[in-house]
Amino acid sequence: AQKITQTQPGMFVQEKEAVTLDCTYDTSDQSYGLFWYKQPSSGEMIFLIYQGSYDEQNATEGRYSLNFQKARKSANLVISASQLGDSAMYFCAMREGHRNSGYALNFGKGTSLLVTP
Amino acid sequence: EPEVTQTPSHQVTQMGQEVILRCVPISNHLYFYWYRQILGQKVEFLVSFYNNEISEKSEIFDDQFSVERPDGSNFTLKIRSTKLEDSAMYFCASSEKTLARNQPQHFGDGTRLSIL
């Protein structure tokens, strides 16, 4: 079963607009972490933002914010004031809290975001 | 800012040959990982390594794969006898201490492995 689901294979947004990238997750753990990574066409994986399952406030990091709805098991990434350089693949990932898992990240299939002028 | 370094950036190898992918994690990091990403697909976990031993491995990480930390800085992934389906981007990652749940894993730029 998929642990992380990203339902939008591709998204378009106009420069300076905000965009929301969806992510839902499946876990029975109480303790887990959710991460978003950006992968430009050059291929590297860039850490953007983290949300812990016990965090009461939504995470923010510059133009990135995470809309965390625990009851719905969703952790959507919001990018405000999109820039052309935001065009990339975006991956949602989850780390579950038990040590035996080795703390591996479980990734979704990604959303390809294209920012247009 | 410190970063994870991977070499080579691109490796082309004949099927059946051994290949070693190299990584230098961030110096004060304690946990090390290998992931792979087949072209157009999601990133998949291979193995995690802590305190000089494997802490977890996925189904993908079969007997053809091995990892080693031969000295205080390098972390290597060896594929003993490569197959066509091993063609992928291989990412090394490290994190400072995962007991703190919010520690992100920092990824290298990847090694693109092409098996002919």
Side-chain angles (χ1 to χ4, degrees), chain A residues 2-95:
Chain A
Q2 289 289 330
K3 292 259 186 176
I4 295 284
T5 302
Q6 294 181 253
T7 56
Q8 307 151 314
M11 290 279 286
F12 290 90
V13 66
Q14 210 157 22
E15 205 176 359
K16 298 177 188 164
E17 301 277 305
V19 63
T20 298
L21 307 183
D22 294 343
C23 172
T24 57
Y25 58 92
D26 180 27
T27 182
S28 55
D29 283 0
Q30 296 301 309
S31 172
Y32 51 89
L34 297 155
F35 300 80
W36 277 91
Y37 284 84
K38 172 184 177 182
Q39 186 178 43
S41 57
S42 48
E44 70 268 32
M45 295 285 285
I46 303 167
F47 165 70
L48 295 178
I49 196 167
Y50 165 85
Q51 180 82 44
S53 57
Y54 293 120
D55 295 341
E56 294 184 352
Q57 294 202 327
N58 286 341
T60 60
E61 196 71 50
R63 293 186 299 110
Y64 304 108
S65 60
L66 208 150
N67 184 0
F68 181 48
Q69 297 188 42
K70 194 170 179 177
R72 294 185 179 184
K73 292 188 176 177
S74 75
N76 299 338
L77 177 70
V78 180
I79 306 175
S80 62
S82 298
Q83 301 171 356
L84 295 177
D86 293 335
S87 295
M89 282 291 288
Y90 288 81
F91 290 97
C92 180
M94 178 171 65
R95 173 200 288 159

Side-chain angles (χ1 to χ4, degrees), chain B residues 33-49:
Chain B
Y33 309 83
W34 283 101
Y35 293 83
R36 80 170 185 191
Q37 184 182 29
I38 294 171
L39 188 63
Q41 298 188 23
K42 71 174 186 175
V43 178
E44 301 173 291
F45 167 71
L46 292 178
V47 65
S48 59
F49 192 86

Side-chain angles (χ1 to χ4, degrees), chain B residues 24-84:
Chain B
V24 179
I26 295 173
S27 62
N28 65 339
H29 284 192
L30 301 176
Y31 295 81
F32 314 114
Y33 309 83
W34 283 101
Y35 293 83
R36 80 170 185 191
Q37 184 182 29
I38 294 171
L39 188 63
Q41 298 188 23
K42 71 174 186 175
V43 178
E44 301 173 291
F45 167 71
L46 292 178
V47 65
S48 59
F49 192 86
Y50 170 69
N51 201 24
N52 284 321
E53 60 182 22
I54 291 173
S55 50
E56 183 70 9
K57 58 184 181 179
S58 72
E59 301 173 342
I60 303 167
F61 194 87
D62 61 21
D63 292 344
Q64 294 297 315
F65 291 89
S66 62
V67 289
E68 197 175 37
R69 189 155 162 81
D71 53 42
S73 59
N74 290 285
F75 179 51
T76 61
L77 174 70
K78 182 194 291 186
I79 308 176
R80 194 165 298 117
S81 176
T82 50
K83 304 187 282 286
L84 292 176

Side-chain angles (χ1 to χ4, degrees), chain B residues 2 4-6 37 45 53 61-62 91 109 111-112:
Chain B
V4 177
T5 306
Q6 288 186 245
Q37 184 182 29
F45 167 71
E53 60 182 22
F61 194 87
D62 61 21
F91 289 104
D109 288 349
T111 293
R112 182 164 298 285

